[in-house]
Amino acid sequence: MRDLPKNVDADAVIEIGRYLDDQGKGAPVSIADANRIVRKTAGTKLTAVELEELILECAAARHLAVVLDSRD
């Protein structure tokens, strides 16, 4: 995983990790759902694209399948 930019909220990274850990390895992770849930629980000020990239990188580090279903 790359070094995180300075504007990344640590709470968002923690919430992404929790969300992905709860998903399991059976079904692919929906980027849109993860974005919505992490934004609601962490209250991050990251843009949708920045948050999606972070979710994607975290999912890739865990070898999870993802659904690229961004609603923006």
Side-chain angles (χ1 to χ4, degrees), residues 17-58:
R18 285 182 186 157
Y19 178 80
L20 294 176
D21 288 344
D22 290 344
Q23 296 306 302
K25 294 203 178 240
V29 175
S30 165
I31 295 293
D33 289 344
N35 191 335
R36 179 180 46 80
I37 291 169
V38 169
R39 186 168 302 284
K40 184 171 68 172
T41 56
T44 183
K45 293 181 181 178
L46 294 172
T47 66
V49 172
E50 291 171 331
L51 190 55
E52 288 171 4
E53 288 176 356
L54 192 55
I55 293 166
L56 186 60
E57 287 186 33
C58 291

